[in-house]
Structure formats: C-alpha cells, structure tokens
Amino acid sequence: MDKNLMDALYVEHDGKIGVLSSDERKVVSQVVGTDLTLVYDKKEGNTYLLIPLTRNHKFECNCSHIIVDGKRFDSDIFFRKDACQWIEIDKETLSKVA
C-alpha cells in the first residue's frame, strides 16, 4: 500500500497494523491488507478481533473456541455485534493474526 494513502487512512501505522482512531476508551485498528479489525478496550484491557459477517468467512462456534475460515481461536468470549463476529483474543493470538 502506498505510504501517502496509509498516512491519509490511519492516525499511525506500522507494516502490519494501522490505527483508525484512538480515544480515552478504545483504540480501533485494522490489520493492513485484510478486512480484519481490532478493538482494544483501554478500560478493561481486552482486545477483540472483528471479522465481518459476510460470505467470505465461515464460522463454527463451540463452547470453548471458535473456528473462522479453518483457524481455531481459543476464546470463550465471542459474540456478534455491528455486522461483525467479535472474538476476545490475547497478545499471543494477536501476534499470529497481524
């Protein structure tokens, strides 16, 4: 992606993650080159991976994990909101996604 375009889209960015917005409550980022979004809740310290509910993605929900496009996410906190599948992830999982 062109650096000028990235500077126009994101508040800040590195090679993998671009910050779309940041305030006192949360940071909303995008995994560059994908349709995945990250939301970091500053108050609770939780990070959520948002995956659009489109035909491009397949979901299999179980009690202790969720499988998205064949990849398993070990999280018992996942829900649907704002036309996205929200999955709470830890730092280890974040490094695998980004």
Side-chain angles (χ1 to χ4, degrees), residues 47-64:
T47 302
Y48 298 93
L49 175 65
L50 281 64
I51 303 167
L53 295 171
T54 65
R55 293 183 191 174
N56 296 336
H57 300 286
K58 292 184 180 183
F59 302 93
E60 296 175 42
C61 300
N62 296 305
C63 294
S64 63

Side-chain angles (χ1 to χ4, degrees), residues 6-7 10-19 30-32 98:
M6 289 183 72
D7 289 341
Y10 303 118
V11 175
E12 62 182 86
H13 56 83
D14 60 18
K16 298 178 182 178
I17 296 178
V19 177
Q30 181 184 29
V31 180
V32 176

Side-chain angles (χ1 to χ4, degrees), residues 5 11-12 15 19 31 34 38 78 84 92:
L5 177 60
V11 175
E12 62 182 86
V19 177
V31 180
T34 70
L38 298 167
F78 48 89
C84 289
E92 182 180 316

